[in-house]
Structure formats: C-alpha cells, structure tokens
Amino acid sequence: MTGFRRFLVALAACSFVAGCASAPISVSSRFAGAGEASPQQASVSRTAADFEDTARARGWIREAGSMETAMSWMGRLAGQSDDEAGTDRAPVARYLEANETTLDAPGFAAHFLTDMTLAWELAGAVDNAAAELIAQGGGVSRSALSRSIGDVETVTARARDTLALFDAVLAEMPVPGDEELASQLVSERDLFAVRTDSLRERVDELVDLRRSNASDDSLS
C-alpha cells in the first residue's frame, strides 16, 4: 500500500502541471438562440452545462463568476503567476468544504468514489454528444459549430482541473483498508482520465470539421 500511495503522489504532481497548462477557448459558450442549433449541437451544449454545473456544485472546480473566470484565464495568457491571476490555491480544502466532510471521515472513500464515477459519466455524455455532432457533419451553421467547439474545449479544461483535484485527494487521503475499494478508486480515476483525453481528441476533430466545411455554403 505504501507503493500505491507514492504512485498517487507522483501522479498528482504531474496532473497539476497538465491542468495548469490547459485553458478553455471560451468561458461560457451556451447557445444564445436554440434556432441556430441542430439537435446534436444542443445536446453538446446541454451536456457541457450539466458537467460544469455539477462540477461547481460538488466542489470539483472553484465557484467563480464569469468575469472572475475570464480575468483569471486572461491573466494566465498574459504570463501572470497563479497568485497574480487569483488562481484557487487549495482545491482539496475547497472540495472538502463544499461536501462538508474531511479526508478521514467515515464513508469518505465511498463518497469520493461516487464523485469520480459521476465525473466520468458526465464527461462521457459530452464526449458522446460531440461524437454524434461529428458524425452528423457539424450542424447547421459555422457559428453554432464554433460554439460547440468552445463548449467541448471548456469541459476539457474543467475535466483536467477536476482530474488534478481527484489525484490530489487520492494522494492526501488515508489509504482505505479495503483493498477492493482502493482498487476501485484507481479504476474510476483512470476511466475519467481516458474520458478527459477523449474530449481533447473531440475538440481536434471538431476543429478539423469546421476547417473542412469552411467553404460549404450550408455553413456560411
């Protein structure tokens, strides 16, 4: 179990670096009008909103107004440090406070397992919606497709931040005495990581689709 714990500590450090390197294309890209969105584009928007709303409510990512979030990302793009950009410095404490619990509370490991399962299910819903949009050919307008790209890119960044949080919690929490539960925690974490990587690929596919459809009159 000692080796398991050391592995998680190293994993958490790597994930925080990867998370800090990511930034969403747009802070909020929900459709202004449903009329210009195809059903597939509306599904991307809806599932993306579900992920972000749940992530904020459950303390996976920080609660912040749209202006604060935009300023934070702009600060990073301008080369400011995390302190200067006002970045959240205590994600684990934030998560525990949001859930009114502690790392050594009875039942914490089971609660945390539920959160990780929910995270990859919600990320999977966005991934599947994006895949359907790609299969459909991009939607009804280039502007709507651009917003779909922004939705998926934003969820990808939020998912990376959430994954970094989960890794940090795994590194700090007491190792469960139940080896099966400990194995489940790692398994759910890995499933979520796979979904996060898949979302990044969907963004690239959507960008390629928009580029290939740039001269199509139906998307002008």
Side-chain angles (χ1 to χ4, degrees):
M1 298 304 289
T2 300
F4 168 76
R5 204 178 168 108
R6 288 176 178 172
F7 165 75
L8 291 174
V9 172
L11 189 62
C14 293
S15 295
F16 268 118
V17 171
C20 289
S22 65
I25 288 176
S26 63
V27 173
S28 177
S29 55
R30 301 179 188 180
F31 289 112
E36 64 178 300
S38 69
Q40 292 80 11
Q41 288 166 327
S43 179
V44 169
S45 183
R46 183 181 65 256
T47 55
D50 288 345
F51 182 92
E52 180 146 357
D53 291 345
T54 301
R56 294 196 186 285
R58 299 180 78 92
W60 304 344
I61 60 177
R62 68 179 305 186
E63 274 288 355
S66 58
M67 181 60 71
E68 181 183 352
T69 304
M71 292 300 293
S72 176
W73 285 117
M74 288 300 293
R76 289 190 185 186
L77 291 173
Q80 294 179 355
S81 68
D82 284 349
D83 287 335
E84 292 172 323
T87 302
D88 186 7
R89 302 290 294 181
V92 174
R94 179 200 63 228
Y95 174 72
L96 296 174
E97 181 179 358
N99 290 276
E100 299 181 341
T101 188
T102 60
L103 292 172
D104 58 356
F108 173 78
H111 170 85
F112 184 48
L113 179 64
T114 298
D115 262 13
M116 286 198 288
T117 300
L118 179 59
W120 73 255
E121 288 176 346
L122 290 171
V126 180
D127 188 20
N128 293 336
E132 291 179 7
L133 176 58
I134 292 165
Q136 189 261 350
V140 297
S141 74
R142 289 185 65 194
S143 60
L145 179 56
S146 294
R147 283 191 289 272
S148 294
I149 293 170
D151 282 329
V152 181
E153 175 70 7
T154 298
V155 172
T156 301
R158 303 294 190 243
R160 285 176 173 174
D161 289 343
T162 300
L163 181 60
L165 165 71
F166 289 169
D167 286 340
V169 172
L170 283 168
E172 294 185 25
M173 67 181 286
V175 177
D178 184 339
E179 292 191 7
E180 182 178 354
L181 178 56
S183 176
Q184 288 179 319
L185 289 169
V186 175
S187 177
E188 295 301 288
R189 180 267 171 207
D190 289 346
L191 284 170
F192 183 44
V194 168
R195 281 299 193 182
T196 301
D197 289 341
S198 183
L199 285 169
R200 179 66 263 175
E201 293 173 4
R202 297 298 183 207
V203 172
D204 293 340
E205 292 169 2
L206 286 167
V207 170
D208 288 342
L209 180 61
R210 187 182 188 280
R211 186 179 299 116
S212 67
N213 288 340
S215 60
D216 191 330
D217 290 339
S218 66
L219 293 180
S220 61

